[in-house]
Amino acid sequence: MTAVPAEDPEERRPAWREQTAAAIGLLDRPLTSYYLVLGTSVMLLALGLTMVLSASSVKQLQETGSAYALFQKQAMWMAIGLPGMWLASRLPVKTFRALAYPLLLLSIVALVLVLVPGLGRSAGGATRWISFGPLQLQPSEPAKLGLVLWGADLLARKERLGQLTEWRPLLMPLLPGAGLLVLLVMLGNDLGTTLVLLTIFLALLWVVGAPGRLFVGIIGLVGLLVSILILVEPYRMQRLTGFLDPAGDQLTTNYQGTQGLFAVASGGLFGTGLGEGRAKWDYLPHAETDFIFAIVGEELGLVGTLVVLGLFGVLAYAGLRIARRVKDPFTRLAAAGTTAWLVVQAVVNIGAVIRVLPITGIPLPLVSYGGSALIPTLIALGMMLAFAKREPGARQALAARGPGPVPRALSWLGLARR
């Protein structure tokens, strides 16, 4: 009899295992972070522009006669922000460090101007905007980027000088600087942005290895400040009591939260269809800004909401991957601070919509309507792209790719011609 050769175990490996191994292998490539940040940013932008049109069309048609009014404005902000993102992705790290102090100073001046009667504009119980005729600016949004850059530069300098071993040099002047920003935002009654600024501050301390007892003290202080902010403003107390008692008054205190939850629940698995939602027909306030995630849930269903969550999860992974792989202290700190800013803001926004967190009134990054939030976010993501190029082997990989972004992306996916 002829002997049958033994079958190689590698030949019996299922196809799905080979595909999984190939997908995991992509994560080890030098340009993984670069393409993950770029890809998630583009997809969230496209989704956001689509949902702004859908969420605002009915109200804008009633008020202006054009269903495309806010869509056109958002497209204009995007047309301004995308070149800023591209430019930031090509800047050297030293440029970001040079911009840190001027941006922080301009943010402080602008936040002071918000509090000047006649210049500041209030809405929803918070004074957040400066009015320049038809143009409105929300200074607290670029202040987030300013705090990231300034805090990262400050701590990187102290790390180089070996001054991070004791808590006093660690906190000075980072704590007073961050505290001034927080105070100015608090005076404008903007609790949501206050929490994001504090998140950036804590993320920077975490990356440099601040002792645990320092976090306990700071978190205790933050809890005290938040409690004071809630107690001094009746509308915040109403939001908190409404969150703690969701079965309470459904027509006043809990109206927005209830309508948002109804919108998400009515979407089912696949949603009612793009543009077919009912909540935007004067049922859900601020559907295109703070509660745009509810419109996503209603029109795109559970699948749409999971896609949004997945995209922010990928963005968080890419940001932390950059922070872990780069060697420059400033780059590591700025990448971690930016990631904490965007991801925590997304979590707070989504948590408010699905009623696991109180309503704070902050937008969903890249998705909600608003140029003051969109442009600094795009610049911050461009900065992340610049940082991703500094990962080990990234510059060499970029140089080895084709002359344009499409050939580079195809090569990274293994689809380009050999």
Side-chain angles (χ1 to χ4, degrees):
M1 294 181 61
T2 303
V4 178
E7 186 177 0
D8 188 353
E10 291 296 326
E11 296 180 357
R12 290 181 295 152
R13 174 189 272 183
W16 65 268
R17 288 190 178 180
E18 295 181 357
Q19 295 171 354
T20 302
I24 294 175
L26 291 176
L27 298 179
D28 294 330
R29 297 195 176 188
L31 292 176
T32 294
S33 302
Y34 181 88
Y35 286 117
L36 288 180
V37 172
L38 182 61
T40 53
S41 300
V42 170
M43 286 188 281
L44 285 170
L45 275 175
L47 175 67
L49 192 61
T50 304
M51 297 313 301
V52 165
L53 173 60
S54 179
S56 65
S57 57
V58 174
K59 184 178 179 181
Q60 292 305 305
L61 185 63
Q62 295 171 343
E63 295 181 352
T64 67
S66 173
Y68 300 94
L70 286 191
F71 170 80
Q72 292 171 346
K73 290 182 180 179
Q74 187 74 351
M76 179 189 68
W77 295 126
M78 192 179 299
I80 296 173
L82 283 174
M85 179 181 180
W86 175 83
L87 178 61
S89 70
R90 303 180 69 85
L91 293 176
V93 172
K94 63 180 181 181
T95 303
F96 294 110
R97 301 190 73 163
L99 292 173
Y101 288 83
L103 182 57
L104 182 72
L105 181 60
L106 288 174
S107 300
I108 292 173
V109 172
L111 287 171
V112 172
L113 292 177
V114 168
L115 304 176
V116 176
L119 287 179
R121 177 178 173 270
S122 300
T127 306
R128 305 178 184 179
W129 294 271
I130 303 175
S131 296
F132 299 101
L135 181 64
Q136 295 178 356
L137 172 67
Q138 188 174 350
S140 58
E141 294 298 332
K144 298 171 186 175
L145 179 58
L147 179 58
V148 167
L149 294 177
W150 176 73
D153 179 71
L154 181 67
L155 291 176
R157 294 176 188 274
K158 288 180 175 292
E159 181 174 337
R160 186 183 62 189
L161 298 174
Q163 297 179 348
L164 298 181
T165 55
E166 297 182 5
W167 70 270
R168 288 184 183 274
L170 175 64
L171 293 180
M172 297 297 172
L174 179 63
L175 180 59
L180 178 59
L181 283 178
V182 168
L183 176 62
L184 292 173
V185 174
M186 285 171 57
L187 291 175
N189 294 323
D190 189 353
L191 180 58
T193 303
T194 299
L195 294 176
V196 174
L197 291 173
L198 290 170
T199 297
I200 295 172
F201 173 69
L202 293 174
L204 293 174
L205 292 180
W206 180 270
V207 173
V208 297
R213 61 182 182 276
L214 186 60
F215 281 95
V216 173
I218 293 175
I219 292 175
L221 179 61
V222 170
L224 177 61
L225 291 175
V226 171
S227 301
I228 294 173
L229 282 174
I230 293 174
L231 292 174
V232 298
E233 287 293 338
Y235 82 94
R236 287 203 193 99
M237 181 60 72
Q238 291 176 357
R239 285 181 176 179
L240 181 60
T241 55
F243 170 73
L244 296 175
D245 182 22
D249 194 341
Q250 302 296 317
L251 297 179
T252 55
T253 305
N254 290 330
Y255 178 77
Q256 185 182 28
T258 301
Q259 292 298 324
L261 201 59
F262 283 168
V264 174
S266 63
L269 184 59
F270 297 106
T272 59
L274 191 61
E276 300 296 326
R278 295 177 291 273
K280 61 192 176 187
W281 289 81
D282 292 334
Y283 290 105
L284 178 61
H286 307 295
E288 72 280 0
T289 53
D290 306 342
F291 270 70
I292 198 167
F293 186 75
I295 304 300
V296 174
E298 182 184 24
E299 298 187 355
L300 302 181
L302 177 64
V303 173
T305 60
L306 290 179
V307 167
V308 174
L309 290 173
L311 289 174
F312 279 108
V314 171
L315 186 60
Y317 167 79
L320 294 177
R321 186 178 189 270
I322 294 171
R324 181 177 60 86
R325 288 169 60 88
V326 293
K327 299 179 180 179
D328 176 50
F330 169 81
T331 306
R332 183 177 68 251
L333 286 161
T338 301
T339 304
W341 153 23
L342 297 177
V343 173
V344 170
Q345 183 166 322
V347 169
V348 172
N349 176 277
I350 294 172
V353 172
I354 62 177
R355 300 296 292 271
V356 298
L357 292 172
I359 298 173
T360 56
I362 59 176
L364 185 61
L366 299 174
V367 180
S368 294
Y369 169 77
S372 294
L374 180 63
I375 293 176
T377 300
L378 287 175
I379 293 174
L381 289 169
M383 179 180 68
M384 295 285 282
L385 292 175
F387 293 166
K389 295 177 184 179
R390 300 181 65 84
E391 290 187 25
R395 289 190 180 278
Q396 294 83 348
L398 279 173
R401 299 301 189 252
V406 174
R408 284 199 289 255
L410 292 176
S411 178
W412 183 77
L413 291 173
L415 300 178
R417 291 182 179 179
R418 300 295 180 186

